[in-house]
Amino acid sequence: MIDFELTPEQRAIRDLAREFVRREIIPIAAEYDEREEFPLDVVAKAHEVGLMYLQVPREYGGQGLDHVTGVLVSEEMAYGCLGINGGVGGTGLGLTPLLLAGTEAQKQELLPPLCERGGLAAFCLTEAQAGSDVAAIQTAARRVGDEYVLNGTKRFTTNGGIADLYTVFASVDRSLGHKGLVALMVPGDTPGVRGGKKEKKMGDRAAHVAETVFEEARVPVSYRLGNEGDGFRIAMQTLDYTRPGVGASAVGVGRRAFEEARAYATQRKQFGRAIAEFQAIQFVLADMAMSLDAARLLVWRAARRLDQGRPSPLESAMAKCFASDVAMRVTTDAVQILGGYGYIREYPVEKLMRDAKITQIYEGTNQVLRLVMARQLLRQL
Ligand SMILES: Cc1cc2nc3c(=O)[nH]c(=O)nc-3n(C[C@H](O)[C@H](O)[C@H](O)COP(=O)(O)OP(=O)(O)OC[C@H]3O[C@@H](n4cnc5c(N)ncnc54)[C@H](O)[C@@H]3O)c2cc1C
C-alpha cells in the first residue's frame, strides 16, 4: 500500500515553514536578490523557530526530523527564495558528511556548539579543475604528525568564507586519484582558512557563494572522517542524501512560478477577457501543475528511501534531475504567461527563472546525474 498522507507532525512543520516564509522571506527576497547579499538575520530567525539543522539528531542540538520533513521544508523555503534557502541548505550539505561518517566523539565535539549558536556550515568539493571530475581535486592534505596541513582553493562554496564549519575534500596523494581523497572537518576560525572571491551570479543571488582558501591550515587528524581514501565515497554518499532536498527546492521555485502565473492569468485581460480563458494558456497551466506534482512525488519517494535507511543513488538522482528540469520549464512558462511583464524585475517570475537554472547545475549537473542513473540502470541487468 502506498500512503501519500503526511503525518500530523510533518504537516505542522511544513505549515510552520510556510508561515515563516510568508512573514520573513517573501517580503525581503527581491531586495536581497538585488543586493546579492545573504540575510544572516533570517537564518537567526529560522534557527529560533526550529527550521535549522533539521536532520541533526536532537542529542547533538538539532531537530532530529526525518528526510520527508526535510524536503517539505526545502520546498517551502525555496518557494520564498532559492538563494536564502541556499545558505540553510548549504549548511545541511556541509553537515551531512559528519552525520554519515563521523564518530560519536566528532559529532559530540563539533555539532552542539554549532547548533547552539545558529552557525553555518559549508561543503568544499568543487575546485577550478575539479567540477564534475571530483577525482581531479588538487587541494592537498599533507600529514605532519597528528595534523593535516591543508593548501588549496575551493571554488563556488555556498557559505564560503562565512561558515563556522567546513567539510573539505582534499588529496593526500594526487597519483591515487579518487582513492587519495580524504574528508576533513575544518572549523572556520582555523588559522589559514579564509574566504576568497565572492561570485556575482545569474540567480541564487541571495546565497553567499565564494572561494574558500586554505593556506597552511592545520587540522587535527581527529577531525578526519573515516580513513584516508574514504573521501570520494563520503562525498558521493552525501550527495545521495542531499539531492532530494535540491529537487524539493526546485519544486518550490516551480510552484511559486505556477501560482504567480495562474493568479496573473485570471487578472490580465486581453481581447475583452481574462487570458486564463484562452485554452492555450489553460494547457500551459495544466502542464505546469502536472509536472510539478510528478516532480514532488519523485522527491518524496527519494526522501522516504532515506528514512527507510535505504538511500538510492538512482532515485535521488532522478528526483533532483527531473525536478530541476521541471523547474526550468515551468519558470520559463510563467515568464511567457506574464508576457512582457514576466521579463520585468518588478514582477517576481524573472527571478524564479534565473533561480531555477542553478538547480540543474549544482550537486551534480543534470548530464552527470543522467550518467549516475545510467550506471545504476545498467548494473541492474
Ligand atoms: C551558485 C553555485 C553554488 C554552488 N555551491 C557549491 C557548494 O556549496 N560546494 C561545492 O563543492 N560546489 C558548489 N558548486 C559547484 C557546482 O556543484 C559545480 O559547478 C558543478 O558540479 C559543475 O562543475 P563545473 O562547474 O566545474 O562544470 P564542469 O564539470 O566543467 O561541466 C561543464 C559541462 O560539461 C558537462 N560534463 C562534465 N563532465 C561530463 C561527462 N562526463 N559527461 C557529460 N557531460 C559532462 C557538464 O554537465 C556541464 O554541462 C556551486 C556552484 C554554483 C554556481
Side-chain angles (χ1 to χ4, degrees):
M1 200 41 197
I2 297 171
D3 186 0
F4 295 109
E5 285 302 310
L6 300 175
T7 65
E9 193 192 16
Q10 287 166 340
R11 276 204 302 274
I13 293 170
R14 182 198 55 193
D15 293 348
L16 173 78
R18 193 169 286 179
E19 176 53 22
F20 180 81
V21 164
R22 191 188 63 74
R23 209 180 51 240
E24 305 290 350
I25 296 186
I26 290 178
I28 57 147
E31 180 193 336
Y32 280 87
D33 175 72
E34 185 72 29
R35 281 173 26 196
E36 302 200 38
E37 197 183 308
F38 183 54
L40 286 168
D41 59 323
V42 172
V43 175
K45 288 178 191 165
H47 179 228
E48 226 169 78
V49 300
L51 290 173
M52 295 281 292
Y53 321 117
L54 300 183
Q55 261 81 59
V56 175
R58 281 180 178 275
E59 63 261 37
Y60 307 123
Q63 300 299 326
L65 295 168
D66 59 10
H67 289 87
V68 169
T69 308
V71 296
L72 295 174
V73 172
S74 260
E75 179 180 332
E76 296 307 322
M77 297 284 276
Y79 177 98
C81 180
L82 184 82
I84 296 175
N85 182 56
V88 176
T91 295
L93 173 64
L95 296 181
T96 301
L98 176 59
L99 293 174
L100 291 178
T103 61
E104 185 57 30
Q106 289 169 333
K107 292 178 198 172
Q108 285 290 359
E109 182 181 345
L110 296 169
L111 287 168
L114 183 92
C115 296
E116 173 91 4
R117 69 171 179 277
L120 296 171
F123 181 81
C124 294
L125 188 66
T126 305
E127 297 179 4
Q129 304 308 326
S132 304
D133 183 8
V134 171
I137 280 178
Q138 290 180 10
T139 294
R142 192 176 79 247
R143 176 96 184 238
V144 181
D146 287 343
E147 292 178 321
Y148 286 101
V149 181
L150 269 179
N151 280 290
T153 299
K154 293 291 178 177
R155 180 159 283 180
F156 299 155
T157 313
T158 301
N159 298 335
I162 60 169
D164 301 275
L165 186 61
Y166 296 88
T167 307
V168 182
F169 296 88
S171 176
V172 290
D173 180 349
R174 290 269 296 115
S175 71
L176 295 176
H178 75 276
K179 292 187 178 144
L181 295 185
V182 66
L184 299 172
M185 300 307 302
V186 183
D189 59 4
T190 304
V193 178
R194 63 175 174 88
K197 177 180 161 239
K198 184 186 165 203
E199 305 296 346
K200 288 175 181 275
K201 307 188 274 350
M202 169 197 284
D204 190 39
R205 291 171 64 170
H208 183 102
V209 175
E211 287 177 338
T212 314
V213 182
F214 302 93
E215 291 159 330
E216 294 289 297
R218 291 178 169 266
V219 184
V221 170
S222 63
Y223 284 1
R224 184 185 70 208
L225 302 178
N227 296 312
E228 285 185 4
D230 287 346
F232 185 79
R233 180 180 53 78
I234 293 170
M236 295 305 123
Q237 275 177 354
T238 296
L239 296 170
D240 291 340
Y241 273 79
T242 56
R243 282 176 181 150
V246 177
S249 67
V251 172
V253 171
R255 190 182 104 218
R256 176 78 182 278
F258 166 75
E259 290 179 14
E260 296 287 349
R262 180 178 57 179
Y264 185 85
T266 59
Q267 301 298 321
R268 173 69 172 171
K269 287 204 167 70
Q270 287 291 277
F271 301 98
R273 49 174 132 154
I275 61 168
E277 290 180 34
F278 298 127
Q279 204 175 52
I281 299 282
Q282 291 173 359
F283 280 14
V284 177
L285 288 171
D287 277 341
M288 290 164 91
M290 176 170 63
S291 40
L292 283 167
D293 264 11
R296 185 181 295 106
L297 289 177
L298 280 181
V299 166
W300 285 15
R301 182 181 73 166
R304 192 165 147 72
R305 286 283 300 241
L306 301 180
D307 287 333
Q308 291 170 332
R310 299 187 302 134
S312 160
L314 175 66
E315 293 180 15
S316 289
M318 281 181 173
K320 188 270 189 188
C321 185
F322 187 81
S324 57
D325 284 350
V326 162
M328 197 63 243
R329 203 167 54 239
V330 161
T331 53
T332 308
D333 286 342
V335 169
Q336 194 69 19
I337 287 178
L338 267 77
Y341 298 93
Y343 204 71
I344 302 296
R345 286 217 177 168
E346 206 179 317
Y347 290 78
V349 293
E350 61 82 30
K351 170 181 184 296
L352 298 170
M353 187 175 152
R354 290 187 282 108
D355 284 350
K357 187 63 208 171
I358 190 59
T359 63
Q360 294 180 306
I361 296 172
Y362 57 19
E363 295 203 27
T365 68
N366 282 3
Q367 287 94 330
V368 166
L369 291 190
R370 285 180 169 88
L371 291 176
V372 169
M373 287 181 233
R375 204 172 300 135
Q376 297 292 325
L377 292 166
L378 293 169
R379 193 175 288 167
Q380 288 169 7
L381 287 178

